Amino acid sequence: MAPGWLREELVTLAWCWRLARRDGVVVGLTSHDRDLFVDGTLYRAAPGMKPSALETSDSLEVETMDLEGAVSSAAIAAADLDAGRWDGAQLVLMVTDWSAPDAAPVVVARGELGAVERRGSAFAAELQGVMRWLDGPACPATSPSCRAALGDRACRVDLAPLTHFRRVVSVAGRAVTLDAPVAAGTMAYGELLWIEGAACGLASPVIADEGTVLTLAEVPGALPDLPARVRLTEGCDRQLATCGGRFGNAENFRGEAHLPGNDLLTRYPGG
């Protein structure tokens, strides 16, 4: 049931967005032309923020909504958008009475931001509602490689001994040089997380390692001053031999390594 203030003859509405990034940064924005305190949280004025047309129903169709707004240096920095810091951010969209923002807000939608696209001095993103999970498979597909990620609840490998801290002393293209080596052959499919400077909080997948040199899948657009501290998490190629031989974790292997594949049909005439 709608709150009392929303059933008044004249209501002055303000849209409010609460965005929580994956690195823990939380920002409140409002479409009103002044800052508002809503439910104890400061929502900064962002008049350029607006959602697309909203439609609610009791159906199970996947919900999506476009979100557009102007880049504001006080709340959402262009550099953070370009670096992908806002991709996957959790978002709650509410409306409140801007003349009485202490009234209980009404939640209109919640979900997760898709990839954020910047268009000059503005940005656009798609809000993916919780119903999108219904588009997922009812059961996992068979796979010769493991479906789990190293260290997750299905894998159960303890990541603490596989986590290392180093400093990046130089960057050449996608190759970064560390101040000290890691065990050979352990970082491929792993992750390098920048933990200081301009790239703090951004993760880069590791393709290969050779001594003190790591080859990354991508390098942040804005690099910190070097040397810079990074956190390294070892990787796994998700093969049964690696799972059992290197990690001693074959009992938790989430794949079908010995299941014949479709290529078996082509091995015999008439198969």
Side-chain angles (χ1 to χ4, degrees):
M1 180 179 294
W5 65 266
L6 197 55
R7 297 196 299 270
E8 297 291 338
E9 293 184 5
L10 179 62
V11 180
T12 51
L13 293 178
W15 292 98
C16 295
W17 291 262
R18 185 183 188 276
L19 299 103
R21 280 187 348 204
R22 291 172 295 179
D23 58 3
V25 174
V26 178
V27 168
L29 301 171
T30 176
S31 61
H32 193 47
D33 58 1
R34 65 179 175 87
D35 296 349
L36 297 176
F37 275 97
V38 180
D39 202 19
T41 300
L42 174 63
Y43 287 77
R44 296 185 178 275
M49 293 283 290
K50 63 181 185 295
S52 63
L54 297 176
E55 181 178 349
T56 59
S57 70
D58 57 359
S59 70
L60 296 181
E61 295 180 358
V62 177
E63 299 171 347
T64 60
M65 178 184 67
D66 292 331
L67 174 68
E68 298 181 355
V71 177
S72 170
S73 60
I76 299 180
D80 289 341
L81 286 171
D82 294 338
R85 294 183 189 274
W86 289 100
D87 295 356
Q90 297 296 313
L91 182 144
V92 178
L93 175 61
M94 303 175 291
V95 289
T96 188
D97 184 352
W98 68 261
S99 64
D102 54 338
V106 176
V107 175
V108 177
R110 65 175 71 239
E112 180 178 294
L113 288 186
V116 180
E117 176 186 359
R118 191 154 70 90
R119 304 168 182 171
S121 61
F123 72 92
E126 182 184 60
L127 173 63
Q128 301 172 339
V130 295
M131 303 301 286
R132 77 187 190 281
W133 295 111
L134 295 178
D135 269 354
C139 62
T142 57
S143 170
S145 58
C146 185
R147 290 180 293 272
L150 183 63
D152 69 7
R153 295 177 61 183
C155 173
R156 302 183 184 180
V157 166
D158 183 9
L159 288 182
L162 310 178
T163 303
H164 316 281
F165 293 89
R166 297 288 190 274
R167 282 183 170 83
V168 171
V169 295
S170 67
V171 178
R174 292 186 297 161
V176 300
T177 302
L178 308 175
D179 61 346
V182 293
T186 61
M187 285 305 305
Y189 305 99
E191 180 185 83
L192 179 150
L193 178 70
W194 303 86
I195 57 177
E196 69 177 5
C200 183
L202 298 179
S204 302
V206 180
I207 297 177
D209 66 273
E210 184 177 351
T212 59
V213 179
L214 302 182
T215 302
L216 306 182
E218 56 187 8
V219 176
L223 289 172
D225 295 333
L226 302 179
R229 295 180 67 235
V230 294
R231 187 189 73 189
L232 305 174
T233 305
E234 295 182 19
C236 175
D237 61 5
R238 303 190 180 192
Q239 300 302 306
L240 179 58
T242 304
C243 186
R246 179 179 163 198
F247 299 107
N249 193 46
E251 67 273 15
N252 289 319
F253 184 77
R254 302 298 191 224
E256 294 71 40
H258 305 297
L259 186 69
N262 292 336
D263 60 335
L264 182 66
L265 300 176
T266 66
R267 296 181 186 176
Y268 306 97

